[in-house]
Amino acid sequence: MILHDLISYEVLRVIWWGLLGVLLIGFALTDGFDMGVGALLPFVGKTDVERRVAINTVGPVWEGNQVWFIVGGASIFAAWPPLYAVSFSGFYLAMFVILAALIVRPVAFKYRSKRDDPRWRSSWDWALFAGGAVPALLFGVAVGNVIQGVPFYFTDDLHTIYEGAWYMKFIGLLDPFSLLAGVVSLAMLVMHGGAWLTLKAEGAVQTRARRIGSIAALIAVGAYVLAGVWMAVGMEGYRLVGEYVTNGPSNPLHFEVERSASWLTAYADRPWIAIAPLMGIGGGLLTFLGLRAGREVSTLLVSKMAILGVISSVGLTMFPFIMPSSSDPQSSLTVWNSSSSHLTLFVMLVATVIFMPLILIYTAWVYKVLWGKVTEADVSDSSSSAY
Amino acid sequence: MEFGIVELSRLQFAVTAMYHFLFVPLTLGLSVLVAIMETVYVMTSRPIWRQMTKFWGLLFGINFALGVATGITMEFQFGMNWSYYSHYVGDIFGAPLAMEGLMAFFLEATFVGLFFFGWDKLSKVAHLVVAWLVAIGSNFSALWILIANGWMQNPVGAEFNPMTMRMEMTDFFAVLFNEVAQAKFVHTVSAGYVTASVFVIGVSAWYLLKGRHIELARRSITVGAAFGLASAFSVVLLGDESGYSATHSQKMKLAAIEAMWETHDAPAPFNLVGIPDQEARETRYAIEIPWAMGLIGTRSLTTEIPGINDLVANAEERIRSGLVAYEALLEVRENREATDPAVTATFEEHSADLGFAFLLKRYVENPLDASEAQIVAAANDTVPTVWPLFWAFRIMVGLGFGFIATMAYFFYRASFKGMRFPRPALHLAVWMIPAPWIAAELGWFVAEYGRQPWTVDGVLPTAMSVSALSMTEVALTLAGFVLFYTVLFIVEMGLMLKYIRKGPFEDVEETEAWNAHHHARLAGRPTADAASQSDLKPAE
């Protein structure tokens, strides 16, 4: 096969760096409101019927939304194998907690309504709460760790060694900056869940969702700005030094890395990337206003804009770094040293170009079929198949 | 054998994978059966077929939730517990997993919600399309997963890159059309169809025994038996196809399943039963079927199938060749700016055996320091423990033939005896419900345990594939999974039984109204043979 030479290795790497962002953002935009609704569930629904309304706003779509996460994970495996190997084994216990939360969530959606017993239902409500809030928090914590660098190194034959005691793979992750990043992520998804419920629910559920969502929007913006200030004044960044090739073999040990004064020097080098944090902050504030004003469709759109801005700001600020190593900077994973082979990236790109538009089309069709509010009458109808 | 991080990680993988596969076969098969039932409904408009679709669809949904939930673990476990594996073969192995998500899982998961929630929101035909998309998505999912798994059994279309210290894809279509993967795919989905058929027949038989839901149960058995019979033939035939492809790709697994220690003159006999003795390298009390093995394995009377002893001798040679590759590799890596072309040539000549040198890592840090005894020991390590494979395989095959017989019998009664089934047969059908699960789990056991000591056959030993984790971590997560999965399993079984006991929602009024209307219409026709026409599509 010579076809893959049509696109240079370097360009393919940048494309896949972008696609990684697309998948993570796709996950946050879609499954994000499912997790937000889960985290909001005990607070927006006081009665069983109200909770069922909230659950059924996401009932028919959460399953498809969750696939963004699965495909995100699989694409990291396929396109960035060292990143997959280092991060999943490095954040071992945290990954287990996320897995546990994500396993319990499908089951809770499906099984909650299958018995009338109030204790049964309230147990599953807490499962849905944890299934939404815990991953939302931990995803942010993971990003916080990645921004600061993670203590790992490669041996000569590229075994990954994560330094520190085993329990540090969980409690070691919970440093103040990472927790702040966790707050950004949790508050952002709660805001998004609030915006979704504003669109899909009415009455008391909607009122509560608007109130809590608007508070979450302010917290998200505040914590995000604080994290930015922290990165400006109190944190070193990383940079590649010496001569390096951007289309060479994926081996981190062929590169030289050292600490830089700050990640935010990227904004001096590439001022245009400032659009990302501006979208994040602006989107968050507009979501706050939209929720207060009771706007429905436009609030969900600005909430999406906020998420898009916040997540892409992380990637754009760190480029070309993907996962720096704090204990052995030379082992840091970058766009240039941790991708799959030229051929694999090309094959995967072809598959993505064919299937991603199809996915977007049929997903849009499903949302269109399900358009409209979920009401108390809908879930009370005994013949309906609602959760 | 010492029980270390490798064994614990393997145990965790086995537990989570086998647990996942409790739900997968039913998802594969029931999605198709439900779509078939809904097709009949759309073609005939008979309410009973919609009720069947909804009822079996409900059980499908309960099962599907756990299949999805436990599948997430599988997707992430490679990176968590098998990070060197992920690094070493991610370039090839990751691609089919990502394709599975893009092509299949998105389809299945996006439409499954609409299947349950869309009854009132979609036209009949649109809803039918949704049901089929769910079924197609589920089955395509299996295709990609088995392409990934097939590559572990028969790693084609890839070569080792000394610069990146990993396997890299050289030919995507070789990976895609890997003969092992294709045979495994049809074998696995057929096993899923058999599972769903046995499930549907068993549950329906229970209703008939209780005198409940007669109409629904009889029709369900008819659909299940027809579908199940075809699938049972397919599962056995494609199992045979897997065996045939194993003859050239996985000789050791085949010899171990067969407990064939010595190479036999062609055509080799098949050991029907016997007691394999690993120490003495012989099979005691073997009852042989002459020629059978040669015919199954090679489809010829003249091709030899190598026995275990010869394969071990071959492995020893490959270890020695692998050591040459390993030594050259170190040199290539050392001088990557200016490698001596002679060294590169040596490496390339021997690189296919590099994985065999890694087998020595169990004994020495640097394979080049291995003693003669260690090389011999490592060659012996390429023999998996024979007796579990020998027996697991035979029980699986026995069950496979049992499914063909049962399905043929129910198909005969359903087609030619007016859907009337004797009570002993119904009892048998109920008791048979667990059998396809046992067969499926044994099948995976044979496939994966038979591949040991490799994760990727001949390329990467299992012992080298693990993450650098502590025992505590893996033990903690293993305990977590076991606890968690046990609770979920109890909840799932409870719900399944509850909804089976509760039975389908039969709208009697609707059914009777439809029948009355239908008969009135038929009565208006000149043909008197109304009974035989009652299944035909009514004129709109």
Side-chain angles (χ1 to χ4, degrees):
Chain A
M1 272 213 278
I2 314 167
L3 256 185
H4 63 275
D5 290 329
L6 286 174
I7 309 178
S8 79
Y9 199 9
E10 181 184 20
V11 171
L12 273 172
R13 281 172 162 157
V14 175
I15 291 175
W16 270 102
W17 172 82
L19 283 174
L20 180 61
V22 167
L23 289 166
L24 293 180
I25 291 167
F27 167 60
L29 292 184
T30 57
D31 210 22
F33 64 70
D34 303 333
M35 290 193 285
V37 169
L40 281 167
L41 186 62
F43 313 107
V44 296
K46 296 298 174 195
T47 65
D48 184 56
V49 173
E50 285 175 359
R51 287 188 179 177
R52 288 186 61 203
V53 167
I55 291 169
N56 279 287
T57 61
V58 296
V61 293
W62 68 269
E63 215 141 13
N65 295 343
Q66 182 173 262
V67 181
W68 286 95
F69 181 61
I70 313 277
V71 171
S75 298
I76 294 177
F77 197 176
W80 306 101
L83 174 65
Y84 178 77
V86 172
S87 62
F88 283 46
S89 64
F91 296 152
Y92 191 72
L93 292 178
M95 282 305 303
F96 175 74
V97 174
I98 288 176
L99 270 183
L102 288 177
I103 290 169
V104 91
R105 199 172 66 134
V107 184
F109 272 120
K110 203 80 205 174
Y111 290 180
R112 183 189 181 279
S113 63
K114 298 269 188 284
R115 285 185 198 278
D116 290 327
D117 177 12
R119 270 181 42 218
W120 169 274
R121 292 197 168 184
S122 106
S123 308
W124 288 119
D125 286 343
W126 285 107
L128 283 171
F129 170 75
V134 172
L137 180 77
L138 288 181
F139 286 133
V141 169
V143 172
N145 276 279
V146 169
I147 292 173
Q148 296 176 91
V150 178
F152 71 93
Y153 67 90
F154 286 107
T155 63
D156 285 343
D157 49 8
L158 296 183
H159 275 279
T160 344
I161 311 291
Y162 194 93
E163 296 186 87
W166 63 268
Y167 49 82
M168 292 306 280
K169 288 176 205 175
F170 189 68
I171 55 169
L173 304 180
L174 304 173
D175 62 276
F177 179 80
S178 301
L179 283 173
L180 182 64
V183 170
V184 174
S185 156
L186 176 60
M188 188 170 79
L189 297 186
V190 168
M191 164 191 89
H192 198 44
W196 172 257
L197 283 174
T198 305
L199 176 67
K200 295 291 283 187
E202 51 186 19
V205 173
Q206 193 206 39
T207 311
R208 293 185 197 122
R210 281 172 53 198
R211 197 182 61 238
I212 306 172
S214 64
I215 298 169
L218 286 186
I219 295 175
V221 171
Y224 179 70
V225 171
L226 191 59
V229 172
W230 193 324
M231 285 171 72
V233 298
M235 190 187 299
E236 287 182 322
Y238 293 80
R239 63 191 174 116
L240 282 167
V241 289
E243 288 198 6
Y244 58 89
V245 286
T246 51
N247 58 357
S250 283
N251 189 331
L253 302 181
H254 297 180
F255 289 75
E256 293 291 330
V257 173
E258 64 179 33
R259 302 300 299 249
S260 69
S262 165
W263 279 121
L264 301 188
T265 51
Y267 290 83
D269 302 340
R270 323 184 270 274
W272 61 271
I273 65 174
I275 190 169
L278 290 177
M279 274 172 71
I281 296 167
L285 293 175
L286 286 172
T287 311
F288 169 77
L289 294 175
L291 286 168
R292 286 281 150 172
R295 302 287 292 269
E296 297 182 355
V297 178
S298 51
T299 306
L300 190 64
L301 289 176
V302 288
S303 175
K304 288 182 178 184
M305 183 174 100
I307 292 175
L308 174 66
V310 167
I311 297 179
S312 53
S313 73
V314 177
L316 289 167
T317 305
M318 291 177 64
F319 186 89
F321 284 86
I322 300 178
M323 186 160 174
S325 165
S326 55
S327 62
D328 177 35
Q330 205 204 342
S331 292
S332 296
L333 302 179
T334 69
V335 173
W336 316 124
N337 69 17
S338 49
S339 77
S340 286
S341 64
H342 195 163
L343 174 62
T344 299
L345 288 184
F346 180 77
V347 169
M348 292 300 305
L349 180 63
V350 171
T352 310
V353 166
I354 295 171
F355 287 102
M356 194 49 81
L358 282 175
I359 290 165
L360 293 176
I361 290 167
Y362 63 64
T363 305
W365 181 73
V366 168
Y367 276 85
K368 186 172 154 279
V369 169
L370 296 165
W371 187 258
K373 289 199 182 281
V374 176
T375 63
E376 300 200 355
D378 290 338
V379 299
S380 307
D381 176 4
S382 62
S383 73
S384 84
S385 42
Y387 286 147
Chain B
M1 189 170 62
E2 187 195 355
F3 195 86
I5 191 77
V6 178
E7 286 71 27
L8 197 60
S9 301
R10 277 181 66 193
L11 181 63
Q12 173 155 337
F13 198 91
V15 167
T16 51
M18 292 179 107
Y19 186 85
H20 177 53
F21 213 73
L22 288 176
F23 308 102
V24 175
L26 195 59
T27 296
L28 290 175
L30 213 46
S31 64
V32 177
L33 272 175
V34 165
I36 291 175
M37 290 173 189
E38 189 168 350
T39 307
V40 179
Y41 167 62
V42 171
M43 288 167 70
T44 66
S45 296
R46 284 188 160 228
I48 181 98
W49 288 94
R50 192 187 63 238
Q51 290 157 19
M52 284 164 64
T53 308
K54 282 198 168 185
F55 173 65
W56 296 112
L58 174 73
L59 300 185
F60 166 79
I62 294 174
N63 174 72
F64 185 79
L66 273 182
V68 170
T70 55
I72 304 175
T73 309
M74 301 313 300
E75 185 97 26
F76 290 4
Q77 200 171 170
F78 297 105
M80 289 172 68
N81 285 352
W82 304 93
S83 65
Y84 198 64
Y85 170 88
S86 304
H87 150 74
Y88 203 86
V89 300
D91 195 66
I92 308 107
F93 187 83
L97 293 192
M99 301 253 191
E100 185 252 356
L102 284 171
M103 251 183 92
F105 196 34
F106 253 123
L107 193 66
E108 166 187 18
T110 305
F111 286 107
V112 78
L114 214 48
F115 176 81
F116 291 107
F117 287 79
W119 283 102
D120 305 327
K121 294 190 167 73
L122 294 168
S123 71
K124 261 166 48 175
V125 173
H127 193 275
L128 177 66
V129 171
V130 166
W132 276 108
L133 288 175
V134 173
I136 291 168
S138 313
N139 282 270
F140 260 105
S141 230
L143 173 66
W144 289 106
I145 297 302
L146 289 159
I147 286 172
N149 179 267
W151 189 80
M152 298 168 78
Q153 320 282 350
N154 182 30
V156 288
E159 67 181 23
F160 183 82
N161 180 346
M163 283 302 133
T164 53
M165 265 309 284
R166 67 182 182 191
M167 298 294 289
E168 292 186 352
M169 198 188 290
T170 53
D171 182 353
F172 175 67
F173 291 102
V175 176
L176 190 61
F177 297 115
N178 184 350
E179 56 168 359
V180 173
Q182 300 300 323
K184 266 174 161 298
F185 167 63
V186 186
H187 180 63
T188 307
V189 294
S190 303
Y193 300 163
V194 171
T195 307
S197 302
V198 170
F199 177 76
V200 166
I201 294 173
V203 172
S204 304
W206 187 74
Y207 286 143
L208 290 181
L209 286 169
K210 296 277 170 193
R212 296 169 54 186
H213 317 299
I214 308 275
E215 289 296 300
L216 178 137
R218 282 184 176 166
R219 282 182 173 78
S220 298
I221 291 183
T222 307
V223 177
F227 186 59
L229 180 60
S231 312
F233 273 119
S234 164
V235 82
V236 173
L237 285 175
L238 266 299
D240 167 63
E241 180 67 31
S242 292
Y244 178 65
S245 57
T247 317
H248 25 113
S249 58
Q250 294 185 278
K251 298 186 173 75
M252 182 60 90
K253 185 193 281 182
L254 189 75
I257 286 170
E258 181 39 22
M260 194 169 82
W261 306 98
E262 297 294 340
T263 305
H264 196 286
D265 292 336
F270 180 82
N271 285 332
L272 189 62
V273 288
I275 300 177
D277 183 338
Q278 191 109 5
E279 291 285 309
R281 295 222 171 153
E282 60 178 30
T283 304
R284 299 182 208 282
Y285 313 112
I287 300 175
E288 296 180 341
I289 307 178
W291 293 21
M293 190 62 208
L295 286 171
I296 296 170
T298 66
R299 294 184 191 159
S300 90
L301 292 174
T302 49
T303 315
E304 272 189 356
I305 301 176
I308 290 172
N309 292 340
D310 284 346
L311 291 170
V312 170
N314 178 257
E316 197 179 314
E317 273 172 42
R318 295 192 69 180
I319 291 173
R320 291 179 202 284
S321 158
L323 286 172
V324 178
Y326 188 78
E327 194 169 9
L329 168 67
L330 294 183
E331 212 169 315
V332 170
R333 238 165 45 194
E334 198 64 32
N335 307 307
R336 69 185 154 89
E337 305 295 341
T339 314
D340 181 356
V343 177
T344 311
T346 310
F347 176 75
E348 277 166 10
E349 192 189 335
H350 293 273
S351 71
D353 295 325
L354 181 66
F356 282 82
F358 291 151
L359 286 172
L360 291 163
K361 288 233 177 195
R362 255 189 75 184
Y363 300 99
V364 280
E365 180 64 31
N366 179 358
L368 297 174
D369 298 337
S371 66
E372 275 303 302
Q374 285 167 330
I375 290 176
V376 172
N380 280 322
D381 287 346
T382 59
V383 187
T385 312
V386 169
W387 71 265
L389 290 170
F390 183 87
W391 283 109
F393 179 76
R394 275 151 189 76
I395 297 169
M396 176 186 76
V397 173
L399 288 170
F401 282 107
F403 297 137
I404 294 182
T406 320
M407 291 298 166
Y409 175 78
F410 274 95
F411 182 69
Y412 165 75
R413 298 293 309 189
S415 307
F416 303 110
K417 297 286 171 185
M419 299 198 277
R420 293 183 193 283
F421 309 97
R423 290 186 73 84
L426 295 176
H427 278 290
L428 174 76
V430 176
W431 285 106
M432 231 172 113
I433 292 177
W437 274 272
I438 296 170
E441 297 287 353
L442 289 174
W444 274 114
F445 175 80
V446 169
E448 303 303 290
Y449 189 81
R451 198 192 53 232
Q452 297 307 319
W454 305 99
T455 39
V456 178
D457 195 59
V459 169
L460 185 68
T462 311
M464 226 174 120
S465 309
V466 289
S467 303
L469 296 167
S470 67
M471 291 289 272
T472 323
E473 281 166 287
V474 184
L476 262 178
T477 54
L478 176 59
F481 279 123
V482 168
L483 183 75
F484 211 45
Y485 279 10
T486 308
V487 172
L488 290 183
F489 185 73
I490 292 169
V491 171
E492 201 257 1
M493 287 303 284
L495 281 179
M496 272 280 187
L497 293 176
K498 177 186 160 174
Y499 278 90
I500 289 172
R501 262 192 222 109
K502 189 174 162 198
F505 174 71
E506 279 181 291
D507 194 333
V508 181
E509 269 177 39
E510 189 195 16
T511 309
E512 281 174 1
W514 192 89
N515 285 342
H517 181 63
H518 183 56
H519 285 297
R521 222 169 13 193
L522 288 172
R525 287 186 183 177
T527 44
D529 192 10
S532 71
Q533 296 232 347
S534 62
D535 284 330
L536 296 180
K537 185 184 173 181
E540 288 296 333

